[in-house]
Amino acid sequence: MTLFSQLSAAVSVPAQTILSLALFVWLNGVNEIVPSPYLDEEFHIRQAQAYCDGQWQTWDPKITTPPGFYIFSLLPRLLTSRACSPGLLRTGNALLLLILQALAQTVSSYVTPVDHPTEARAQGSSGSAAFPRWTGLNLSLFPVLFFFSALYYTDVGSTCCVLAAYALYLRRGRSPDEESSSVRTFLQVLIGLLALSFRQTNIFWVAVFLAGRQIVRTASFNVPRSYEVADCTLGNIVDRSWRQGELYDPSAGDAYLEDYAKTIVSLLVVAATSIRRLVRTVLAYLVVLLAFAAFVLWNGGVVLGDKSNHTATIHLPQLLYIWPCFVFFALPLLLPHILTMLATLSPLRTRCISTQAVPRVRVLGAWLVLMLLAVHYNTVIHPFTLADNRHYTFYVFRWFLLRHPLARHLAVPIYIFCGWVVIHALSGHPNDVAPAAAERKMARRNAWQSSMPSHRNRVSFVLVWLGATTLSLVTAPLVEPRYFIVPWVIWRLHLPYRNEERKAGASRAPNSLWKRVARGDSQILLLLETGWFMVINVITGYLFLYKGFSWPQEPGRVQRFMW
């Protein structure tokens, strides 16, 4: 039994106990050292306390989100009959992190692709079942979520709602009849509306993202499990999509940039041939979309309060800032992909390094130009970004991006590198032997979507995920790591794992930790991720609790560092 198997067996039962202990330490420290509401907690807690006192007509104009979170916070009071003190409200929010852990484990058990090397696949695997358990624990330790679990913020509850909606979607049947079940439709609408009551931008995940995934799933119902294709030209793809309803959707690991465009065209053509069936299967998401549209019309905008500081505007660099953030938090899991990309650029590259690890020159040049244009003409610096030195983003902009007029342009290669690594990670293990040109061509020719499960994500998922991420970020002028939580969580849940566990007694030469990391052994990478998150949480928690400072304009009032 490997070290990972031993540890995962220990974690399987008390996973929530481990999380509960960590939460207790963090929550107790916050309540003891910061007993009064801090920063945005001031109006969040004030609003919740108004509802606790039965003042249902009271609404703080500083609040931008709907009242679902505050109504939910009445449950701890109903269960304990205690007053809605900051400590009690924070405790209720912390308990949501335990629910999030269970939801993340459930979703991971549905979507986690496990990539078994040939020998391990032939022999069978016992370690795969541990991946969802460990993923649930790690996601609950995700630094941004864990940090705000001890403060009365909406992020943990909002993410729980999105994961609940995703879990329900994944539990839905594989046939059109099951998809249109009235009970399931009602539940999907109910959870979708609940998610919107926590945060309006959840519309892009509980409606747009899930509807996109449902359309792809419905479009693949009548597709044969296997067949050969003469060629993958656009004309042939359109013809087969129209005549036979077959969706062209290659594995992300076998796809080039043009395959993404071909998948979009194929999906549009297939959708046009079965509009009625598609409308029936996405009815729940259409209802949620209509409810959101009605709210926007009634409210005169998306945000409820403080509209002057939250005006929607096109902010394309938001789609660039997200990639270094992803790489920072997922660094242990992305190490094999980073090493592979660097090795590919080396003159000593061998055949065991796939050339797919790096973009083609013309693709790289195109993205470089587009990103430079976005940075030069569309960089938006919100007044809050440079006016509040309590947030880490203040120092990113002040020390790096605004240090010199050219600094933000020089960061573009970093965005490209990080973005490519993040997207490439969805394609599976990076160090497998690169297939010959003919083999890769055949893989792309046999790229039609089928109901057969795959251990790798397909192009359609990447497109839908990128679309929802773009919609949720592109109109936000303010840059905050909290805005990246849901895109990161969905991406993280879909990362394929590589299980190299052998049968007991199988001989294998011992490998160093570094070799196992470079080989992409997820058993080690998950342990490193746990340790990485713990280190970040300890550092950020320590800075928040013990490294406070004061502003000259507010003497005696402690200011604290936070995400």
Side-chain angles (χ1 to χ4, degrees):
M1 181 177 288
T2 65
L3 173 63
F4 178 83
S5 299
Q6 295 171 355
L7 290 175
S8 61
V11 167
S12 60
V13 175
Q16 290 201 337
T17 302
I18 295 173
L19 180 59
S20 298
L21 291 175
L23 267 177
F24 175 79
V25 173
W26 174 229
L27 181 63
N28 185 67
V30 172
N31 284 334
E32 182 178 343
I33 298 176
V34 193
S36 300
Y38 180 71
L39 206 59
D40 289 359
E41 275 192 318
E42 294 182 2
F43 48 81
H44 287 314
I45 289 178
R46 185 165 57 240
Q47 183 62 47
Q49 290 175 336
Y51 282 176
C52 283
D53 295 336
Q55 301 175 20
W56 298 103
Q57 300 299 321
T58 300
W59 185 257
D60 194 312
K62 284 289 185 181
I63 296 176
T64 62
T65 53
F69 181 57
Y70 314 114
I71 297 174
F72 172 83
S73 298
L74 297 178
L75 291 178
R77 185 192 180 187
L78 295 176
L79 296 175
T80 63
S81 299
R82 293 172 54 190
C84 291
S85 64
L88 181 65
L89 293 173
R90 288 171 173 172
T91 300
N93 195 41
L95 292 176
L96 285 174
L97 193 65
L98 297 176
I99 298 176
L100 186 145
Q101 188 267 342
L103 288 170
Q105 178 176 327
T106 300
V107 172
S108 180
S109 67
Y110 288 128
V111 305
T112 298
V114 180
D115 187 3
H116 301 281
T118 303
E119 180 183 349
R121 189 184 300 117
Q123 294 177 344
S125 171
S126 60
S128 303
F131 291 146
R133 292 194 295 266
W134 208 279
T135 295
L137 179 62
N138 283 358
L139 278 178
S140 61
L141 294 174
F142 176 53
V144 185
L145 281 172
F146 186 81
F147 182 91
F148 286 105
S149 66
L151 296 172
Y152 192 65
Y153 276 64
T154 61
D155 301 279
V156 178
S158 173
T159 307
C160 277
C161 291
V162 173
L163 288 180
Y166 198 18
L168 180 61
Y169 159 80
L170 294 168
R171 285 178 62 90
R172 299 180 74 173
R174 291 288 300 178
S175 71
D177 294 334
E178 291 182 52
E179 293 292 347
S180 59
S181 166
S182 58
V183 175
R184 293 185 182 276
T185 299
F186 173 77
L187 289 176
Q188 199 75 58
V189 171
L190 186 64
I191 295 179
L193 295 178
L194 177 65
L196 293 183
S197 74
F198 273 62
R199 181 171 290 173
Q200 301 95 311
T201 52
N202 284 339
I203 187 66
F204 303 117
W205 298 102
V206 299
V208 177
F209 173 74
L210 295 185
R213 295 220 64 198
Q214 181 58 46
I215 289 172
V216 172
R217 187 160 72 176
T218 302
S220 66
F221 276 142
N222 296 328
V223 179
R225 291 177 179 268
S226 63
Y227 38 85
E228 297 181 357
V229 183
D231 61 73
C232 290
T233 62
L234 183 60
N236 184 68
I237 289 172
V238 171
D239 181 69
R240 293 193 62 153
S241 299
W242 178 260
R243 294 179 181 273
Q244 303 179 44
E246 297 171 356
L247 178 62
Y248 179 82
D249 191 10
S251 167
D254 298 321
Y256 291 103
L257 184 62
E258 55 267 28
D259 291 304
Y260 285 79
K262 291 176 181 178
T263 299
I264 293 174
V265 172
S266 177
L267 183 58
L268 291 175
V269 173
V270 172
T273 63
S274 54
I275 293 179
R276 289 186 177 181
R277 183 177 59 169
L278 289 178
V279 170
R280 186 173 68 251
T281 57
V282 300
L283 180 61
Y285 313 116
L286 292 177
V287 172
V288 176
L289 277 170
L290 290 174
F292 175 75
F295 164 78
V296 172
L297 290 175
W298 169 81
N299 184 56
V302 176
V303 297
L304 278 174
D306 200 19
K307 294 181 179 179
S308 60
N309 289 318
H310 295 83
T311 303
T313 183
I314 299 299
H315 189 193
L316 296 176
Q318 281 274 33
L319 306 177
L320 308 183
Y321 304 144
I322 190 175
W323 306 123
C325 183
F326 273 40
V327 170
F328 171 74
F329 287 118
L331 185 60
L333 300 179
L334 295 178
L335 278 176
H337 299 273
I338 294 174
L339 293 174
T340 300
M341 180 177 286
L342 296 177
T344 305
L345 299 174
S346 169
L348 301 179
R349 179 177 64 85
T350 63
R351 186 178 181 272
C352 66
I353 304 296
S354 171
T355 55
Q356 286 288 92
V358 294
R360 290 167 293 175
V361 174
R362 62 177 180 272
V363 174
L364 183 64
W367 283 119
L368 182 65
V369 171
L370 292 174
M371 290 184 180
L372 284 172
L373 290 173
V375 167
H376 185 77
Y377 290 106
N378 194 230
T379 295
V380 177
I381 307 296
H382 194 281
F384 287 177
T385 301
L386 299 181
D388 195 341
N389 63 347
R390 294 170 293 188
H391 296 286
Y392 297 128
T393 50
F394 168 88
Y395 300 97
V396 173
F397 277 87
R398 180 61 62 87
W399 290 354
F400 299 103
L401 296 181
L402 299 180
R403 191 174 186 87
H404 186 275
L406 294 178
R408 57 195 174 108
H409 301 82
L410 295 176
V412 168
I414 298 176
Y415 301 146
I416 294 177
F417 177 84
C418 293
W420 188 266
V421 168
V422 168
I423 299 300
H424 193 263
L426 290 171
S427 66
H429 187 261
N431 293 332
D432 290 332
V433 175
E439 295 173 350
R440 180 169 294 279
K441 186 176 182 180
M442 181 58 66
R444 296 172 67 221
R445 287 181 174 178
N446 295 332
W448 300 86
Q449 176 67 287
S450 71
S451 58
M452 290 288 287
S454 172
H455 67 276
R456 293 178 177 177
N457 296 292
R458 291 188 174 272
V459 165
S460 60
F461 168 77
V462 179
L463 287 171
V464 174
W465 174 77
L466 283 175
T469 299
T470 299
L471 292 172
S472 66
L473 294 178
V474 75
T475 60
L478 187 61
V479 181
E480 287 194 31
R482 294 190 299 138
Y483 296 167
F484 303 153
I485 289 177
V486 176
W488 188 91
V489 166
I490 299 297
W491 171 82
R492 171 62 184 82
L493 285 168
H494 279 266
L495 283 185
Y497 295 124
R498 193 169 198 253
N499 184 20
E500 295 194 341
E501 186 173 317
R502 266 65 167 184
K503 283 184 176 180
S507 60
R508 183 179 67 179
N511 287 314
S512 66
L513 175 63
W514 181 249
K515 287 184 178 180
R516 296 188 67 181
V517 169
R519 198 168 59 241
D521 187 346
S522 293
Q523 299 177 348
I524 297 300
L525 299 183
L526 283 170
L527 294 175
L528 292 178
E529 183 187 37
T530 305
W532 177 239
F533 283 171
M534 288 182 173
V535 169
I536 297 175
N537 288 330
V538 168
I539 293 174
T540 54
Y542 175 80
L543 291 175
F544 179 78
L545 296 177
Y546 301 108
K547 289 297 180 180
F549 60 97
S550 61
W551 289 339
Q553 64 270 29
E554 296 183 15
R557 185 173 183 177
V558 179
Q559 310 296 335
R560 302 180 184 277
F561 296 107
M562 62 191 306
W563 291 108

